[in-house]
């Protein structure tokens, strides 16, 4: 029997046992349960083997499997369903999964639900990527300069590109429909965000290279807030636009001739706040919280929480620094907030693991709530390092959280 079917049967049995002792079940709970079952069936390519079985089992309790709705006038008691009926339908599905009549989809054997010796493989058409637009960030390009990070805002109307020399170039979506197809974005503003500094106490030179930029929620229709950080200092910039064309040539210069700025638009970048002295080691990650008021920064050993309106202090939420630095076995390599839950964040380490922290559990989240780690048994000596981690929300599954990661070997 296909291992995927065995796993699905085990899941259905678990769902059925969870209804023990319950008299009623809410309609929304039943819909979420069935939607999860259908999603697992489609994900594992089991629709041909299990869809008819599930549809027949739920039809016995007057529930339409296809539309995920009650049939006829059911349910009769408002928004409640009989837990015993749902449990019986799940029990029937689990029992049918264990029978010998199901086909082994992995080996392709035939049965009453399959066709012997016939397989249909639908190959998706190959997708090709084409270059839509290319724009250098600066006219006076230098050999030592290159783009270090790029970030698009939540609406997709603005793109911020930061460089190694501490410059930020912002592009705006082209409002002219006639030229938008050939030139989707046009120049908005350019400014110098960071400059090289020198720490005299540690005799350390701090580069102007910008490691990360993040867009903040817009205050007004004609202004944006942008966070940018280098190795030590985080700066909050306010981009204010106006209709004065006279200042345009002075305020925003540096774009090439084929990337003009919007006519009659003048944009100035004003430093709103400077967040400094929060990290001993180099900052590599910057993430804005979903509440729109706080953000976190991360270096190799610590993760700090800041408030956008208070640059005088920050709160340490993760501290991996040991008492004796000789005992140091891993460092933080990436950190990111959840897109909708302001209390949840993840951070990756040089050991190749991702840890999830919940700020509701404790102020200091050294004791993580979840740990995701996969070791390479075939190559135990190979080093894994998480270089990027981000949450990905799945549509119509608000309670489910997915993560996208990038691993360096």
């Amino acid at each position: 029997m296909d291992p995927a079917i065995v796993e699905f049967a085990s899941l259905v049995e678990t769902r059925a046992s969870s209804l023990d002792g319950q008299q009623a079940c809410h309609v929304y709970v039943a819909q979420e349960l069935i939607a999860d079952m259908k999603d697992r069936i489609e994900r594992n390519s089991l629709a041909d083997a299990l869809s008819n079985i599930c549809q027949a089992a739920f039809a016995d309790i007057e529930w339409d499997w296809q539309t995920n709705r009650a049939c006829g006038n059911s349910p009769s008691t408002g928004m409640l369903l009989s837990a015993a009926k749902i449990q019986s339908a799940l029990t029937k599905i689990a029992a049918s999964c264990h029978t010998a009549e199901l086909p082994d989809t992995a080996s392709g054997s035939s049965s009453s639900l399959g066709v012997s010796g016939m397989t249909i493989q639908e190959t998706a058409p190959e997708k090709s990527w084409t270059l839509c637009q290319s724009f250098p960030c600066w006219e006076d390009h230098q050999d030592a300069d290159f783009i270090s990070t790029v970030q698009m805002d939540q609406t997709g109307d603005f793109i911020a590109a930061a460089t190694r020399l501490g410059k930020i170039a912002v592009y705006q979506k082209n409002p002219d429909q006639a030229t938008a197809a050939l030139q989707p974005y046009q120049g908005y503003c350019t400014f110098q965000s960071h400059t090289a500094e020198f720490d005299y106490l540690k005799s350390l030179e701090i580069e102007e290279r910008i490691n990360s930029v993040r867009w903040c929620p817009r205050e007004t229709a004609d202004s944006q807030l942008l966070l940018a950080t280098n190795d030590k200092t985080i700066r909050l910039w306010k981009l204010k636009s106006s209709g004065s064309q006279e200042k345009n040539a002075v305020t925003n210069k540096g774009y090439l001739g084929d990337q003009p700025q919007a006519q009659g638009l003048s944009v100035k970048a004003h430093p709103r706040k400077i967040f400094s002295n929060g990290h001993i080691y180099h900052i590599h990650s910057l993430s804005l919280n979903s509440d729109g008021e706080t953000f976190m920064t991360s270096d190799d050993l610590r993760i700090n929480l800041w408030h956008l309106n208070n640059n005088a202090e920050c709160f340490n939420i993760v501290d991996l620094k040991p008492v004796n630095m000789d005992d140091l076995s891993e460092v933080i390599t990436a950190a990111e907030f959840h897109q909708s839950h302001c209390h949840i964040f993840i951070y990756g380490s040089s050991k190749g693991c991702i840890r999830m922290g919940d700020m509701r559990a404790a102020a200091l989240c050294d004791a993580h709530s979840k740990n995701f780690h996969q070791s390479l048994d075939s190559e135990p000596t190979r080093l894994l390092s998480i270089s990027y981690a981000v949450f990905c929300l799945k549509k119509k599954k608000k309670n489910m959280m997915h993560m996208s990661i990038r691993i360096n070997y």
Side-chain angles (χ1 to χ4, degrees):
M1 184 181 295
D2 190 350
I5 297 180
V6 176
E7 182 181 358
F8 179 78
S10 177
L11 172 69
V12 173
E13 291 174 348
T14 303
R15 297 288 191 270
S17 61
S18 65
L19 297 176
D20 291 339
Q22 299 186 24
Q23 296 181 352
C25 177
H26 200 279
V27 171
Y28 293 154
V29 176
Q31 289 178 336
E32 186 69 21
L33 170 65
I34 296 174
D36 182 51
M37 293 173 59
K38 295 173 69 175
D39 181 69
R40 290 176 181 270
I41 289 176
E42 294 175 358
R43 191 190 315 161
N44 297 319
S45 302
L46 302 176
D48 295 338
L50 299 178
S51 292
N52 294 333
I53 294 175
C54 296
Q55 186 173 357
F58 279 98
D60 294 340
I61 63 172
E62 299 181 345
W63 190 273
D64 190 348
W65 168 265
Q66 298 294 336
T67 62
N68 202 3
R69 294 174 180 268
C71 301
N73 297 326
S74 180
S76 58
T77 57
M79 300 296 291
L80 297 179
L81 296 172
S82 172
K85 289 184 177 180
I86 298 179
Q87 192 176 30
S88 65
L90 296 176
T91 304
K92 291 180 182 178
I93 295 174
S96 300
C97 289
H98 291 298
T99 59
E101 296 180 357
L102 285 177
D104 189 349
T105 57
S107 60
S109 60
S110 63
S111 66
S112 58
L113 298 179
V115 180
S116 177
M118 181 181 294
T119 58
I120 301 177
Q121 296 181 353
E122 297 182 358
T123 58
E126 295 183 359
K127 296 181 179 180
S128 59
W129 293 88
T130 58
L131 180 63
C132 183
Q133 185 181 8
S134 176
F135 36 83
C137 289
W138 295 86
E139 184 177 7
D140 54 341
H141 175 70
Q142 303 179 29
D143 294 337
D145 199 9
F146 56 83
I147 296 178
S148 57
T149 181
V150 178
Q151 182 71 20
M152 182 177 287
D153 75 332
Q154 296 86 346
T155 62
D157 294 336
F158 293 90
I159 298 177
T163 68
R164 192 196 72 84
L165 296 182
K167 305 172 185 177
I168 297 179
V170 180
Y171 287 83
Q172 181 185 23
K173 183 176 289 186
N174 191 353
D176 188 2
Q177 298 297 331
T179 60
L182 299 177
Q183 186 179 325
Y185 288 88
Q186 61 184 6
Y188 187 69
C189 73
T190 60
F191 59 95
Q192 184 75 35
S193 176
H194 289 72
T195 57
E197 301 176 4
F198 189 81
D199 190 343
Y200 292 95
L201 293 178
K202 298 181 180 179
S203 298
L204 181 65
E205 184 180 359
I206 302 173
E207 292 185 353
E208 63 271 35
R209 169 177 174 166
I210 299 177
N211 298 325
S212 180
V213 292
R214 289 292 185 271
W215 290 96
C216 301
R218 300 183 67 169
E219 289 185 330
T220 59
D222 59 348
S223 66
Q224 296 84 24
L225 294 178
L226 183 66
L227 276 170
T229 180
N230 64 350
D231 290 340
K232 293 293 183 180
T233 306
I234 308 105
R235 295 178 183 268
L236 177 63
W237 292 90
K238 180 178 180 179
L239 309 182
K240 179 72 173 178
S241 61
S242 62
S244 177
Q245 189 174 2
E246 296 179 356
K247 299 179 182 179
N248 187 31
V250 179
T251 307
N252 301 293
K253 57 183 179 179
Y255 290 106
L256 297 183
D258 59 345
Q259 301 295 330
Q261 193 181 24
Q263 293 295 329
L265 182 64
S266 174
V267 183
K268 283 188 176 182
H270 303 277
R272 171 71 69 86
K273 285 187 181 296
I274 298 177
F275 306 86
S276 58
N277 301 324
H279 289 272
I280 300 177
Y281 307 98
H282 291 178
I283 301 173
H284 55 67
S285 296
L286 172 66
S287 179
L288 186 70
N289 203 343
S290 60
D291 58 12
E293 298 180 352
T294 58
F295 66 94
M296 71 176 179
T297 54
S298 172
D299 59 25
D300 291 341
L301 296 179
R302 291 188 177 96
I303 299 178
N304 292 337
L305 181 68
W306 304 79
H307 197 282
L308 288 173
N309 295 327
N310 185 7
N311 59 350
E313 61 179 354
C314 62
F315 299 95
N316 181 233
I317 55 178
V318 174
D319 190 352
L320 298 186
K321 184 178 181 181
V323 178
N324 186 1
M325 290 297 290
D326 293 336
D327 299 331
L328 182 65
S329 60
E330 63 176 336
V331 295
I332 301 172
T333 55
E336 188 76 18
F337 264 121
H338 193 275
Q339 284 95 332
S340 58
H341 300 291
C342 60
H343 53 271
I344 297 179
F345 66 94
I346 55 174
Y347 62 94
S349 76
S350 56
K351 286 186 175 180
C353 63
I354 300 177
R355 298 185 178 94
M356 181 185 298
D358 191 343
M359 292 187 290
R360 298 174 300 179
L364 188 62
C365 300
D366 289 345
H368 49 270
S369 58
K370 287 184 180 295
N371 184 27
F372 304 91
H373 181 263
Q374 183 177 3
S375 60
L376 295 177
D377 298 333
S378 60
E379 300 179 75
T381 59
R382 198 170 189 179
L383 298 179
L384 298 178
S385 178
I386 304 296
S387 61
Y388 180 77
V390 64
F391 283 100
C392 299
L393 292 182
K394 189 173 182 181
K395 293 182 179 179
K396 299 182 181 180
K397 299 284 184 180
K398 295 183 179 179
N399 296 329
M400 297 182 64
M401 293 181 294
H402 302 263
M403 284 180 293
S404 175
I405 63 173
R406 185 167 66 232
I407 301 177
N408 289 345
Y409 293 95

